[in-house]
């Protein structure tokens, strides 16, 4: 049930109303892997500079994360610096230094070349497609993207869409990609351009899985304490793919369960800086939160009044 | 199962990207009543000026709306004029003319003085409390409010809260009232100040019912066409209270069903200007949309994988 993610491995410096952190483990592949590994082993493809605290990643290997696809090259690691507003509803990017990530060319070690579940994190869509075409067709291919690629490399992104099963983006990305502010129409537009399914993430409002003729909503896990939203969307993706890899099942009903595990992982990510939210969390806690969704959204429409 | 609403009966002039309307039927009590009346008869207390097209209201009486508590006085009716942004995500108030609503003192006709279900629409909290104290204790008392009263009449509002069963507000109102940007903590704060339950409405993101130790989420009904968001929150309240009045049941499980009917009515309200969205809608259509929520949020956590 091998699960492979290609994405960024970065160092984040973040300012929130509750504190700040510098050069902490971050990047989409990092959050994805830490979340997914609670459910299934995960292989990571990425790149870091020789300034990266690689021993920190290696400590995480015991969780079932195979970092052997993360290339270490001469130069600076990808760094992002941002600041959140007092209510965490918006953030400002203070600095982005791509470093070695600017010339990233994913290289898959031999043991990574037959993934059953593939997550193409948000990198250049040509690179996403190259990775996909370098392996036998996985059982499920999910891609992320971002406004930068939507604006700068739309033709390549549209080509990629023809080859993936599911596009997983947030609502502003779905709107920008489709040119339609209505998220439901935006989802339908995406379905008309390749993917069989779309996941639209809406942060604290949850996420929806759109398939032809059907929409499924999962709320966010209700949290009274949110510390740092960074990485929530990537952790969601990790939970989603981790559940699919764990169960080996890509039916629509099982993808609904995957949505719940995605939402749970997002809730873990936001409870601390960097990936620290995952430190004290085990599968039992994850399952407990997933179970809580049953009641959280349970509509007793068909039951007798009582 | 008598249901009473006290609120504004107004004339709205609205500009959306899709068109505009002038002096159309509006106001919280109007949207509430039209929505609620699909489920149960409703009595309305309000005030209009002698310029109000009262015959338009009277045409709606056949739906089961008793307008005999709407006083007609010399002067201008309450008018609101607003303009929505291209994506309907924000709106600007261009003009508010309170007219006769400024001196509104609710007067309950004899036949209105024993409501079983009472909705205190957003008027001065002292007036809300006066209405409540002028009737025998209803089975369920729900109050709305708005930023204007939160800022200007907080002590009176806090007094009101001690006497109502449920406060139904949108997320920005919950945040402003509690002084806490986290909606879950805001809900808890409200529970600590009187009401046994809180409904926090989040527009296109749905709504949540918060009770001690429990949160229930209902999404918005997915709509590819949204025409005019005005009145959606009031229609939600009408659907919620209409369902409670229809079933005569205030159990928490039945209030979850009421949340679904609230969300359905909100979806009807936004599909046309003013109350026109309700014109072609019957109970069968309402039930059909309510049924759709079952699948929309169905998490098959406990079922076998397939």
């Amino acid at each position: 049930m091998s699960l492979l993610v290609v994405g960024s491995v970065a160092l984040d410096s973040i300012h929130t109303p509750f504190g700040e952190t510098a050069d902490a483990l971050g990047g989409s592949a990092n959050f994805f892997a830490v979340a997914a590994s609670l459910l299934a082993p995960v292989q990571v493809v990425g790149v870091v500079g020789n300034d990266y605290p690689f021993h920190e990643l290696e400590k995480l290997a015991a969780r079932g994360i195979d970092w052997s696809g993360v290339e270490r090259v001469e130069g600076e690691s990808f760094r992002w610096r941002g600041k959140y507003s007092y209510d965490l509803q918006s953030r400002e990017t203070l600095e982005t230094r791509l470093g070695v990530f600017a010339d990233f060319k994913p290289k898959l070690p031999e043991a990574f070349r037959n993934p059953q579940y593939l997550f193409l994190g948000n990198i250049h869509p040509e690179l996403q497609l190259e990775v996909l075409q370098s392996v036998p067709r996985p059982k499920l291919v999910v891609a992320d993207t971002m406004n930068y690629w939507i604006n700068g490399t739309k033709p390549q992104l549209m080509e990629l869409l023809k080859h993936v099963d599911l596009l997983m983006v947030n609502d502003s990305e779905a709107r920008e990609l489709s040119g339609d502010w209505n998220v439901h129409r935006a989802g339908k537009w995406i379905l008309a351009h390749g993917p069989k399914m779309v996941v639209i993430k809406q942060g604290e409002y949850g996420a929806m899985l759109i398939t032809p003729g059907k929409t499924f909503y999962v709320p966010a896990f209700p949290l009274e304490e949110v510390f740092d939203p960074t990485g929530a969307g990537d952790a969601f993706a990790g939970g989603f793919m981790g559940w699919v890899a764990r169960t080996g099942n890509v039916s629509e009903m099982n993808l609904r369960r995957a949505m719940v595990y995605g939402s749970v992982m997002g809730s873990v990510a936001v409870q601390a800086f960097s990936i620290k939210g995952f430190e004290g969390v085990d599968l039992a806690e994850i399952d407990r939160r997933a179970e809580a969704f049953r009641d959280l959204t349970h509509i007793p429409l068909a039951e007798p009044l009582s």
Side-chain angles (χ1 to χ4, degrees), chain A:
Chain A
M1 308 292 190
S2 62
L3 168 60
L4 176 67
V5 57
V6 183
S8 60
V9 180
L11 292 170
D12 291 343
S13 296
I14 292 163
H15 185 100
T16 80
F18 317 113
E20 46 192 308
T21 185
D23 283 350
L25 299 197
S28 61
N30 230 328
F31 282 103
F32 181 100
V34 173
S37 66
L38 277 158
L39 298 165
V42 53
Q43 302 172 322
V44 184
V45 172
V47 67
V48 294
N50 49 9
D51 59 347
Y52 205 86
F54 207 81
H55 61 281
E56 298 281 345
L57 296 183
E58 279 169 342
K59 277 195 249 168
L60 299 168
R63 304 172 69 101
I65 306 175
D66 184 343
W67 300 103
S68 63
V70 177
E71 201 183 355
R72 285 183 271 184
V73 304
E74 196 67 36
E76 254 203 336
S77 297
F78 182 10
R79 278 181 170 77
W80 180 76
R81 201 154 63 82
K83 183 174 175 172
Y84 285 88
S85 62
Y86 75 99
D87 57 1
L88 306 178
Q89 298 293 303
S90 63
R91 75 180 187 194
E92 188 189 348
T93 290
L94 301 174
E95 193 179 15
T96 302
R97 279 151 64 190
L98 290 176
V100 298
F101 192 63
D103 299 313
F104 176 43
K105 297 267 181 259
K107 294 184 188 67
L108 278 57
E110 183 62 36
F112 283 30
R113 292 188 194 155
N114 192 15
Q116 287 187 275
Y117 307 99
L118 174 61
F119 187 80
L120 301 164
N122 101 65
I123 58 175
H124 194 299
E126 271 177 4
L127 296 178
Q128 290 175 304
L129 190 56
E130 256 179 57
V131 169
L132 174 53
Q133 292 179 333
S134 74
V135 298
R137 187 61 167 73
K139 280 176 73 179
L140 185 73
V141 178
V142 177
D144 187 8
T145 190
M146 67 184 294
N147 296 344
Y148 183 77
W149 308 118
I150 295 169
N151 294 323
T153 59
K154 184 99 175 249
Q156 297 92 324
L157 179 56
M158 295 311 295
E159 179 59 31
L160 173 72
L161 288 188
K162 296 182 196 162
H163 301 270
V164 307
D165 298 308
L166 190 156
L167 182 70
M168 184 179 284
V169 288
N170 66 36
D171 45 9
S172 75
E173 290 154 356
R175 288 186 172 114
E176 194 149 345
L177 176 58
S178 64
D180 196 326
W181 51 266
N182 179 295
V183 287
H184 304 288
R185 283 198 308 255
K188 200 177 242 188
W189 185 95
I190 294 166
L191 291 183
H193 288 84
K196 296 188 292 284
M197 301 172 277
V198 187
V199 170
I200 298 181
K201 297 174 287 181
Q202 304 191 289
E204 66 167 309
Y205 302 113
M208 54 183 116
L209 170 65
I210 304 178
T211 55
K214 272 211 175 191
T215 300
F216 168 68
Y217 274 99
V218 69
F221 186 78
L223 286 178
E224 291 184 24
E225 300 296 339
V226 176
F227 194 80
D228 174 12
T230 312
D234 301 313
F236 183 101
F240 182 94
M241 294 299 284
W243 177 259
V244 172
R246 182 181 189 83
T247 55
N249 182 307
V250 297
S251 72
E252 191 168 329
M253 283 298 118
N254 197 46
L255 295 188
R256 288 185 170 207
R257 296 184 183 98
M259 292 287 285
V260 171
Y261 279 85
S263 194
V264 167
M265 296 300 180
S267 77
V268 173
V270 303
Q271 291 192 287
F273 272 134
S274 181
I275 57 167
K276 288 189 196 304
F278 290 93
E279 276 173 9
V281 174
D282 59 8
L283 186 55
E285 168 65 9
I286 295 301
D287 283 338
R288 194 191 62 74
R289 288 197 191 186
E291 274 300 310
F293 276 80
R294 199 202 303 264
D295 185 62
L296 195 58
T297 61
H298 175 60
I299 301 173
L301 277 178
E303 293 158 26
L305 300 177
S306 61

